[in-house]
């Protein structure tokens, strides 16, 4: 279909292109440029070459954030790949009331991260529900410092991430499970395979592409984690900011009082390369496994 | 339904099978035992469903219960009390007195409705051009939209802040809205929806002399109502729930959206958990209602956005 006026398509595209260029491409280009300068958030700045990147290598806060973010990823991704799949299998069969269960399991996805954070910080506070339940069954004598110990804070945030993402990936898996041919499962059943065996030998291999997708999505989301840690710690990222993540440190460096836009931009590019690398890595991994 | 039917079917196939490798101890199937086993399986399934239910919905209920507990009632969970003895709505009123929750909610509503409208309008326009028009530079335009999907917002937030400041839009709701005004996901969803429409109708319209705008507005857009609903809902929820960007761009508490405002409420008045709980309920209940009424669009959106995208 050829338009009669050459500019007609560009009129259709204009608003979307304007937003994409003004609020994504130009800021991205600017991030690259700033990362080679000593610009402050107020303005100014001179070209300083690779100074910001050199400084990154010896910045303890950066390495700490990198370690925390990596730990986040290593713990959360496997949980996100496995738990929602199990829940999806649980809600797949159309038994009575299943629509209700599916909807309720999805509801944490709808809540904002701030709401989730406030709900969880109340649950996990020293006199909150979780600690009193643990004490009621005499698992612990003293309340566990879920929110005031940096390491525990990080794990609490991970638990919240999983809680909030469970329903989303459950729906992704449900869509994929609908494509698993029933005949294959029934054939396996006739051959005497029990439910567990049918799941591991038929369903899981067929779902591999979806599992890779979920791993990629949750890995990128983990690399960018911020709101969980921020809301659970009232903005402090734990005592001394010990539970800081990359995005937390970027925001602190670039936007606080005396923000260093140049240095924060170098850190931002490190995060960008990290997320890009993650998706390339997972895609490679997948294509190699499919060849084998 | 399928559990009771498939299990007896499979087992009744065993006696007629030529050579069962491992002959089960009871050769004759026992229908009653099987039915019991199937019922047991369904029972276990419901039990597991209940466990997941408690984990997913329990935190919401505990917060709701806290927000309704009277001032004289202990909210600390030792021993935990789910049902308030003396339920009251007072804390909702004091949450509204402490911070302007209603005006925050109104700000959030403006931003979220604005984003829903712009994503549907601009997203469908761009998606239509990409799906139905042939022109030089189409691949470049498509590439630009894909590129914005690879750039995580978190990596450009500092420059985004500088950009908004140079546009004079810092600390305004327009500034909160603009980066979310039309996402590449919306464009792709519309593009795929338009690609799925039969071409014949539009070709007939061309013969009748309809221009691009008429084909888009009269034929194509009315045919993708489902996608429009999905994009509207997802843009609304995304904008309503967004936290990091409003936190960066808004500085005057009077302009806060609900997410930033609720965090502010908890930072200022952590001493009364009942009030904070009421505030979170105000922020989440409208969305939960929206979700439970329109859930099929939510599920469709996740399926289309994540699996195909």
């Amino acid at each position: 279909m050829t338009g009669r006026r050459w500019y007609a398509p560009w009129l259709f595209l204009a608003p979307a292109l304007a937003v994409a260029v003004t609020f994504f491409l130009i800021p991205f280009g600017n991030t690259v440029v700033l990362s080679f300068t000593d610009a402050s958030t107020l303005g100014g700045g001179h070209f300083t070459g690779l100074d910001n990147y050199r400084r990154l290598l010896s910045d303890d806060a950066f390495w700490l954030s990198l370690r925390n973010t990596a730990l986040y990823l290593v713990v959360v991704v496997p949980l996100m790949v496995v738990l929602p799949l199990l829940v999806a299998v649980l809600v797949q069969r159309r038994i009575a009331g299943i629509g209700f269960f599916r909807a309720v399991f999805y509801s944490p996805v709808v809540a904002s991260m701030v709401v989730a954070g406030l709900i969880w910080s109340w649950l996990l506070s020293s006199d909150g529900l979780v600690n009193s339940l643990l004490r009621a069954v005499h698992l612990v004598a003293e309340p566990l410092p879920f929110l005031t110990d940096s390491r525990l804070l990080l794990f609490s945030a991970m638990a919240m991430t999983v809680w909030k993402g469970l329903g989303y990936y459950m729906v992704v898996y449900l869509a994929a499970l609908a494509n698993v041919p029933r005949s294959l499962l029934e054939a396996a059943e006739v051959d005497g395979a029990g439910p567990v065996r049918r799941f591991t030998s038929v369903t899981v291999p067929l779902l591999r592409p979806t599992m890779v997708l979920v791993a990629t999505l949750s890995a990128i989301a983990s690399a960018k984690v911020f709101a969980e840690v921020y809301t659970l710690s009232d903005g402090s990222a734990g005592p001394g900011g010990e539970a800081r993540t990359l995005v937390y440190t970027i925001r602190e460096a670039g936007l606080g009082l005396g923000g260093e836009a140049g240095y924060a931009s170098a850190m931002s590019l490190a995060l960008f390369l990290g997320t890009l690398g993650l998706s390339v890595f997972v895609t490679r991994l997948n294509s190699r496994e499919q060849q084998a | 339904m399928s559990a009771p039917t498939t299990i007896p079917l499979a087992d009744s196939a065993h006696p007629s099978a030529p050579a069962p490798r491992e002959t089960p101890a009871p050769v004759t199937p026992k229908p009653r035992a099987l039915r019991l086993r199937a019922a047991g399986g369904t029972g276990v399934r419901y039990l597991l469903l209940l466990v997941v239910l408690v984990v997913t919905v329990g935190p919401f209920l505990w917060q709701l219960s806290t927000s309704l507990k009277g001032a004289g009632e202990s909210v600390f969970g030792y021993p935990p009390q789910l049902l308030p003895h003396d339920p009251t709505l007072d804390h909702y009123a004091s949450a509204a007195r402490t911070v302007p929750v209603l005006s925050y909610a109104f700000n959030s509503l403006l931003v979220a409705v604005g984003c829903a409208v712009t994503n549907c309008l601009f997203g469908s326009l761009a998606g239509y051009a990409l799906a139905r028009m042939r022109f030089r530079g189409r691949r470049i335009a498509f590439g630009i939209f894909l590129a914005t999907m690879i750039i995580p917002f978190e990596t450009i937030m500092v420059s985004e802040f500088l950009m908004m400041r140079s546009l004079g839009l810092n600390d305004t709701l327009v500034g909160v809205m603009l980066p979310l005004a039309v996402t590449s996901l919306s464009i792709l969803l519309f593009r795929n929806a338009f690609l799925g429409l039969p071409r014949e109708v539009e070709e007939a319209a061309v013969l009748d002399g309809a221009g691009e705008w008429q084909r888009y507005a009269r034929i194509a857009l009315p045919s993708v109502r489902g996608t429009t609903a999905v994009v509207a809902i997802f843009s609304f929820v995304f904008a309503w729930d967004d936290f990091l960007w409003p936190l960066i761009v808004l500085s005057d508490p009077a302009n806060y959206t609900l997410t930033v405002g609720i965090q502010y409420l908890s930072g200022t008045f952590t001493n009364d958990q009942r009030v904070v709980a009421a505030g979170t309920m105000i922020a989440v209940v409208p969305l939960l209602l929206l979700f439970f009424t329109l859930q099929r669009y939510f599920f469709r959106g996740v399926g289309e956005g994540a699996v195909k995208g």
Side-chain angles (χ1 to χ4, degrees):
Chain A
M1 248 175 267
T2 38
R4 281 166 300 179
R5 292 159 299 179
W6 67 268
Y7 54 82
W10 297 105
L11 287 182
F12 275 72
L13 288 169
L17 277 180
V19 168
V21 171
T22 318
F23 299 112
F24 285 87
L25 292 195
I26 293 178
F28 184 73
N30 196 29
T31 303
V32 176
V33 172
L34 285 177
S35 76
F36 298 104
T37 71
D38 60 358
S40 86
T41 307
L42 294 173
H46 299 282
F47 179 77
T48 54
L50 291 173
D51 279 5
N52 286 330
Y53 293 94
R54 255 178 242 125
R55 187 175 147 197
L56 267 188
L57 296 179
S58 57
D59 183 348
D60 290 341
F62 173 71
W63 285 109
L64 178 61
S65 334
L66 199 64
R67 274 200 308 276
N68 284 343
T69 309
L71 179 67
Y72 214 93
L73 202 137
V74 168
V75 175
V76 166
V77 172
L79 291 175
M80 280 300 206
V81 171
V82 174
L83 290 180
L85 175 57
L86 297 180
V87 175
V89 170
L90 196 61
V91 299
Q92 189 195 8
R93 196 163 274 175
R94 295 208 156 272
I95 52 179
I98 203 67
F100 166 78
F101 285 107
R102 286 182 185 178
V104 170
F105 294 177
Y106 190 83
S107 57
V109 182
V110 183
S112 76
M113 202 49 97
V114 176
V115 166
L118 292 179
I119 291 178
W120 276 66
S121 37
W122 176 221
L123 279 180
L124 295 176
S125 66
S126 59
D127 43 15
L129 182 63
V130 174
N131 266 318
S132 47
L133 287 179
L134 287 177
R135 281 193 329 196
V137 296
H138 299 289
L139 268 178
V140 294
E142 288 295 305
L144 291 174
F146 288 112
L147 305 176
T148 44
D149 175 88
S150 313
R151 191 46 68 87
L152 269 180
L153 171 65
L154 211 53
F155 282 102
S156 306
M158 291 171 190
M160 194 174 108
T161 303
V162 173
W163 176 76
K164 206 170 165 323
L166 192 68
Y168 183 85
Y169 295 114
M170 171 194 85
V171 177
V172 172
Y173 276 126
L174 266 180
L177 279 174
N179 296 327
V180 172
R182 232 194 139 78
S183 55
L184 274 182
L185 290 171
E186 278 164 7
E189 197 172 348
V190 171
D191 286 346
V196 175
R197 188 71 205 277
R198 288 199 298 274
F199 176 72
T200 54
S201 307
V202 181
T203 310
V204 167
L206 285 171
L207 285 188
R208 172 148 293 182
T210 312
M211 296 169 83
V212 171
L213 175 82
V214 171
T216 317
L217 291 177
S218 62
I220 291 177
S222 300
K224 304 187 297 187
V225 61
F226 167 77
E228 288 93 326
V229 174
Y230 186 91
T231 53
L232 283 183
S233 63
D234 248 326
S236 72
E242 288 276 319
R244 57 180 58 245
T245 64
L246 271 178
V247 173
Y248 185 92
T249 306
I250 292 173
R251 178 177 167 275
E252 189 184 63
L255 294 163
L257 283 172
E260 299 175 282
Y263 185 54
S265 294
M267 227 184 283
S268 302
L269 278 185
L271 171 64
F272 171 70
L273 292 178
T275 56
L276 197 66
L278 276 176
S279 22
V280 172
F281 173 74
V282 180
T283 323
R284 277 275 179 82
L285 202 70
N286 189 37
S287 60
R288 196 180 307 157
E289 277 186 7
Q290 278 175 351
Q291 278 163 10
Chain B
M1 281 301 287
S2 46
T5 52
T6 51
I7 289 177
L9 259 181
D11 276 53
S12 63
H14 271 291
S16 61
R21 279 148 296 180
E22 283 172 69
T23 317
V27 183
T28 46
K30 288 182 185 165
R32 187 157 170 271
L34 279 175
R35 239 179 290 136
L36 275 179
R37 217 171 73 195
T42 313
V44 170
R45 192 174 278 264
Y46 276 113
L47 197 69
L48 290 172
L49 284 169
L50 279 179
V51 171
V52 184
L53 184 80
V54 168
V55 173
T56 47
V57 89
F60 286 120
L61 288 182
W62 184 243
Q63 191 81 343
L64 177 65
S65 147
T66 305
S67 77
L68 294 173
K69 280 177 181 165
E73 199 172 337
S74 167
V75 288
F76 304 115
Y78 201 74
Q81 278 292 335
L82 183 60
L83 289 180
H85 285 301
D86 178 21
T88 168
L89 289 174
D90 285 355
H91 312 303
Y92 288 80
S94 46
R97 266 199 311 274
T98 316
V99 295
V101 173
L102 287 181
S103 104
Y104 293 163
F106 185 67
N107 287 347
S108 281
L109 194 67
L110 279 182
V111 170
V113 170
C115 283
V117 171
T118 53
N119 270 285
C120 286
L121 183 62
F122 301 149
S124 63
L125 280 169
Y128 186 75
L130 293 175
R132 279 294 191 254
M133 297 179 180
R134 295 192 178 284
F135 55 97
R136 272 168 161 265
R138 186 171 68 164
R139 294 176 72 111
I140 296 175
F142 194 51
I144 288 177
F145 295 131
L146 288 185
T148 65
M149 289 185 102
I150 306 174
I151 304 171
F153 180 78
E154 288 78 359
T155 67
I156 56 169
M157 62 189 179
V158 175
S159 293
E160 192 86 87
F161 172 80
L162 301 177
M163 167 68 86
M164 280 302 160
R165 196 176 56 195
S166 60
L167 292 174
L169 292 172
N170 263 2
D171 210 10
T172 66
L173 293 180
V174 176
V176 175
M177 226 187 85
L178 273 176
L180 313 173
V182 46
T183 64
S184 297
L185 183 64
S186 309
I187 298 169
L188 285 185
L189 286 176
F190 272 114
R191 172 182 169 271
N192 291 347
F194 288 134
L195 281 176
L197 293 179
R199 276 176 175 270
E200 289 75 16
V201 186
E202 281 171 80
E203 276 159 8
V206 177
L207 295 178
D208 291 344
E212 287 93 349
W213 173 257
Q214 279 147 328
R215 295 204 301 271
Y216 157 80
R218 298 259 174 82
I219 300 170
L221 193 56
S223 314
V224 294
R225 289 216 184 92
T227 301
T228 312
V230 167
V231 170
I233 291 168
F234 270 74
S235 311
F236 183 95
V237 173
F238 190 78
W240 181 280
D241 286 350
D242 196 15
F243 174 60
L244 178 57
W245 177 237
L247 180 71
I248 290 170
V249 82
L250 297 175
S251 45
D252 182 355
N255 294 330
Y256 280 174
T257 56
L258 203 45
T259 48
V260 185
I262 292 298
Q263 173 70 29
Y264 175 65
L265 166 74
S266 99
T268 333
F269 298 92
T270 29
N271 46 7
D272 197 348
Q273 271 301 331
R274 301 169 184 87
V275 177
V276 177
T280 49
M281 281 296 125
I282 295 174
V284 76
V285 166
L287 273 200
L288 289 178
L289 290 179
L290 187 76
F291 163 63
F292 279 104
T293 20
L294 301 172
Q295 34 163 308
R296 67 195 172 103
Y297 291 108
F298 280 84
F299 291 157
R300 249 190 77 188
V302 176
E304 288 184 12
V307 177
K308 288 184 197 162

